[in-house]
Amino acid sequence: AQKVTQAQTEISVVEKEDVTLDCVYETRDTTYYLFWYKQPPSGELVFLIRRNSFDEQNEISGRYSWNFQKSTSSFNFTITASQVVDSAVYFCALSEALGTTDSWGKLQFGAGTQVVVTP
Amino acid sequence: DTEVTQTPKHLVMGMTNKKSLKCEQHMGHRAMYWYKQKAKKPPELMFVYSYEKLSINESVPSRFSPECPNSSLLNLHLHALQPEDSALYLCASSQEDRSSGIDNEQFFGPGTRLTVL
């Protein structure tokens, strides 16, 4: 069963528009971590944010903001005033079962959302 | 130094060749990972090393053989690969805080694009 769902396959916006990427996760654990990664065309995954299950505060970092809602099992990501350099695939990922030897370090990625920003 | 380096960037090999992918980090991380990523798909975990010991093998075929010579280096030895093994191979590293119940972010290298003919 898919643990992380990114329902949006591709989002196209014009520069300066805001874009929100949805991420819905599924877990039975009370302790888990959520991550967002960016993968530009060069291929390298760039870490953006980590959030643990006990910290529901929303976070803002420059033009990026994240909305974590445990009640809906969602961890959405918004890019404000998008720029061409934001064009990339964005992955949401879940890590759970930290106490289990055979699960530690396992990142479960969503399918990814391709963001295309045109000038 | 917050970088994970991988060599080579590109590799083309025949099905009978033996080659190795190399990964290096100098962040003092004691967990290192190999992922395989096919086009338009998310990365798939292959192996996890914790303190130079293999802790997770995601049922990867034996034609892929990982090695962790020391805390900074991770190798992936390739032998008798199939064309379907062509993919982007990503290495990652993270702090290892399992005993503290903390799962830290993984830092990824740029990857090796492997083509098997």
Side-chain angles (χ1 to χ4, degrees):
Chain A
Q2 185 146 2
K3 299 277 190 172
V4 179
T5 301
Q6 294 181 256
Q8 304 146 306
T9 304
E10 181 170 328
I11 301 175
S12 293
V13 296
V14 177
E15 223 174 4
K16 296 185 183 177
E17 289 183 344
D18 297 348
V19 56
T20 295
L21 286 64
D22 298 333
C23 173
V24 175
Y25 62 92
E26 178 186 331
T27 180
R28 293 182 180 178
D29 286 355
T30 55
T31 302
Y32 53 89
Y33 286 82
L34 295 163
F35 304 80
W36 275 96
Y37 284 87
K38 171 183 179 181
Q39 188 172 37
S42 59
E44 181 172 350
L45 272 89
V46 178
F47 165 74
L48 297 178
I49 190 171
R50 178 188 75 169
R51 174 68 74 228
N52 75 52
S53 51
F54 298 107
D55 183 1
E56 286 193 75
Q57 282 192 349
N58 292 327
E59 181 154 340
I60 298 175
S61 176
R63 295 184 297 106
Y64 294 169
S65 62
W66 290 270
N67 185 339
F68 179 28
Q69 302 239 343
K70 284 180 77 171
S71 59
T72 56
S73 297
S74 65
F75 187 41
N76 297 336
F77 171 35
T78 297
I79 304 173
T80 303
S82 60
Q83 299 176 3
V84 173
V85 292
D86 296 326
S87 297
V89 179
Y90 291 85
F91 290 101
C92 180
L94 166 71
S95 176
E96 58 185 347
L98 295 175
T100 305
T101 302
D102 61 353
S103 295
W104 186 90
K106 276 186 165 182
L107 275 180
Q108 300 174 79
F109 286 89
T113 297
Q114 171 84 58
V115 172
V116 179
V117 183
T118 52
Chain B
D1 185 356
T2 58
E3 195 179 41
V4 176
T5 59
Q6 289 187 245
T7 55
K9 281 190 173 181
H10 301 273
L11 178 63
V12 179
M13 61 186 290
M15 288 190 283
T16 59
N17 292 158
K18 282 185 181 181
K19 296 286 184 183
S20 296
L21 309 184
K22 295 185 184 301
C23 173
E24 190 168 6
Q25 57 88 14
H26 294 289
M27 294 179 276
H29 291 169
R30 303 308 295 272
M32 296 187 76
Y33 312 78
W34 279 115
Y35 288 85
K36 173 183 177 180
Q37 187 178 24
K38 301 285 271 186
K40 299 191 183 299
K41 296 290 186 182
E44 298 174 19
L45 183 66
M46 299 175 71
F47 303 103
V48 180
Y49 272 84
S50 174
Y51 289 92
E52 296 93 71
K53 291 186 179 177
L54 184 65
S55 63
I56 294 178
N57 176 342
E58 290 288 87
S59 303
V60 178
S62 59
R63 57 185 184 269
F64 295 92
S65 175
E67 178 196 20
C68 191
N70 60 55
S71 59
S72 300
L73 292 173
L74 186 65
N75 299 322
L76 186 63
H77 302 298
L78 314 173
H79 175 53
L81 294 194
Q82 304 297 311
E84 58 265 29
D85 296 322
S86 298
L88 178 68
Y89 288 83
L90 293 161
C91 173
S93 70
S94 71
Q95 290 183 3
E96 216 282 31
D97 286 315
R98 180 183 352 192
S99 59
S100 303
I102 297 172
D103 198 1
N104 294 290
E105 58 271 25
Q106 296 177 24
F107 293 91
F108 285 80
T112 294
R113 289 197 182 274
L114 174 67
T115 302
V116 182
L117 302 176

